[in-house]
Amino acid sequence: GVLSLQDRHYLTGKTVKGGHSHDPSFVVRAPYIYPLYKIHKLCREQIIDKVIPPNRMVTSAVNGPTYRIGVFLEAILKPISTKYCEGELVRDSTDFLNEVESLSSSGTFQDREMNLAAMDICALYPNIKVELALCAVRHALETTSAYESDQIDAIIGLLQYTLGNSVVHYRGDWYISLEGAPTGNPEIPPMANIFVKYGLDTKILIDPRVAPINKLVNRSRFLDDIWSCWNDTAEAFFRFLEVVNLVGSEIGITFTGECGKSVQFLDVTTTLNNGSISTTMFVKPTDSERYLNRRSYHSKHTFTGIPFS
């Protein structure tokens, strides 16, 4: 079969002899949702006035009904998404800075007419079209993996099952997700990366309304945030963005954006100046400037990871 006995045991808990594992991780619990408030979207005056910030609903799916399938799919899709999105995907700010340094060394920024552009996909997860996401994952598997067709069919089938059976429990009732992809499921981030790449390169940027006015080059992306060089004026970029959003709205991908000699991406400000580029740390105006005491009892990896995150 497509799944090995080890795979079947991991997914279902059933042993080779027909019994069932007593591992507590096989005990299913009810998933629930909670709001993740985006306080950084507010200015200081709004915070002082106690304006309720926008939020994203996150699903806590750990040990939920489809969680083990999600973890299984994540292990398959994560390396596939990395390979499929090779050349544009950055892991973090440090990786992005290395990419900028590489571009600078190759003389990319010597054109004094060049601008920089930053784009952010609007509400990516809630707007993902499931059928298009499945097509995107299939395309990634067929072009970047050695899986046989029956294995690809099985992977797509499992992904379709998890997307179609994403449930949460709230105040005694059960709710099923009808649109988009649930934030919090382990298989969703690599699937979303594949979806964005597929949507941009096979649907939006090749559209005859977009292709002639597309002056994006050297694209870098962190999930739904995009940084790029722009070989035209800022005015031309915003006209381009209008057309991109017109085309992208058909598949659930629309953007906000900025363009000029200086733009922000992740926690980095990139600035062009007389044929060269400089980078500085970008700190949001609402940053609380709180620091973690090195004597805290946090795990060691917390301290070593902070400078890179």
Side-chain angles (χ1 to χ4, degrees):
V2 175
L3 296 176
S4 67
L5 290 176
Q6 184 178 1
D7 292 336
R8 293 171 187 270
H9 170 70
Y10 179 82
L11 293 172
T12 66
K14 291 184 178 180
T15 64
V16 177
K17 296 182 179 179
H20 200 280
S21 172
H22 295 288
D23 189 319
S25 67
F26 285 103
V27 178
V28 178
R29 72 165 181 80
Y32 61 91
I33 57 174
Y34 61 91
L36 179 64
Y37 287 102
K38 300 182 177 182
I39 194 170
H40 61 277
K41 299 287 186 180
L42 304 181
C43 64
R44 290 187 180 274
E45 290 73 19
Q46 289 175 311
I47 294 175
I48 293 172
D49 292 338
K50 298 182 179 179
V51 173
I52 298 177
N55 70 79
R56 173 187 296 167
M57 299 306 295
V58 179
T59 302
S60 177
V62 177
N63 290 339
T66 63
Y67 180 70
R68 298 192 75 86
I69 300 177
V71 174
F72 178 77
L73 288 172
E74 180 192 29
I76 295 172
L77 296 181
K78 193 171 182 179
I80 295 296
S81 70
T82 300
K83 188 173 181 180
Y84 186 67
C85 303
E86 188 175 11
E88 72 169 53
L89 211 59
V90 294
R91 296 185 300 273
D92 49 33
S93 296
T94 302
D95 194 26
F96 172 63
L97 289 171
N98 290 335
E99 179 63 24
V100 170
E101 177 62 28
S102 176
L103 291 173
S104 181
S105 299
S106 64
T108 299
F109 306 111
Q110 291 179 0
D111 182 358
R112 295 172 185 260
E113 301 301 317
M114 177 183 287
N115 283 296
L116 301 176
M119 302 166 66
D120 182 15
I121 299 177
C122 303
L124 172 60
Y125 284 8
N127 290 318
I128 286 179
K129 306 293 186 183
V130 171
E131 288 305 316
L132 185 61
L134 294 174
C135 289
V137 172
R138 181 178 291 277
H139 184 259
L141 289 167
E142 289 175 345
T143 56
T144 63
S145 80
Y147 289 115
E148 302 291 341
S149 59
D150 59 340
Q151 293 174 311
I152 291 175
D153 288 341
I155 293 168
I156 296 299
L158 287 173
L159 182 59
Q160 186 173 22
Y161 181 82
T162 63
L163 292 172
N165 292 276
S166 174
V167 295
V168 294
H169 190 255
Y170 180 70
R171 293 185 175 179
D173 291 318
W174 288 88
Y175 299 86
I176 190 167
S177 176
L178 299 178
E179 296 180 349
T183 304
N185 286 26
E187 75 278 18
I188 300 304
M191 184 203 76
N193 266 323
I194 293 170
F195 173 78
V196 173
K197 169 76 172 178
Y198 182 80
L200 283 172
D201 290 350
T202 71
K203 300 296 181 181
I204 298 176
L205 297 181
I206 66 169
D207 187 280
R209 292 166 288 180
V210 175
I213 59 174
N214 177 21
K215 302 298 175 64
L216 294 173
V217 292
N218 301 311
R219 190 172 82 208
S220 290
R221 179 168 62 85
F222 183 84
L223 192 53
D224 56 354
D225 292 324
I226 296 173
W227 178 94
S228 178
C229 300
W230 175 255
N231 287 331
D232 208 331
T233 64
E235 292 77 12
F237 170 79
F238 289 108
R239 291 194 296 270
F240 161 79
L241 194 62
E242 287 181 9
V243 181
V244 163
N245 285 339
L246 178 66
V247 175
S249 62
E250 300 169 4
I251 61 171
I253 299 179
T254 57
F255 298 87
T256 58
E258 60 176 324
C259 181
K261 295 299 181 183
S262 182
V263 298
Q264 282 79 42
F265 178 72
L266 301 180
D267 55 1
V268 178
T269 297
T270 53
T271 303
L272 291 176
N273 185 20
N274 296 323
S276 63
I277 191 168
S278 62
T279 59
T280 56
M281 186 172 70
F282 171 65
V283 179
K284 292 182 173 65
T286 52
D287 184 79
S288 61
E289 298 183 354
R290 293 180 178 177
Y291 299 93
L292 182 63
N293 192 315
R294 191 62 179 85
R295 296 180 180 179
S296 167
Y297 284 97
H298 282 75
S299 300
K300 181 179 179 181
H301 72 268
T302 302
F303 295 102
T304 56
I306 286 176
F308 295 94
S309 64

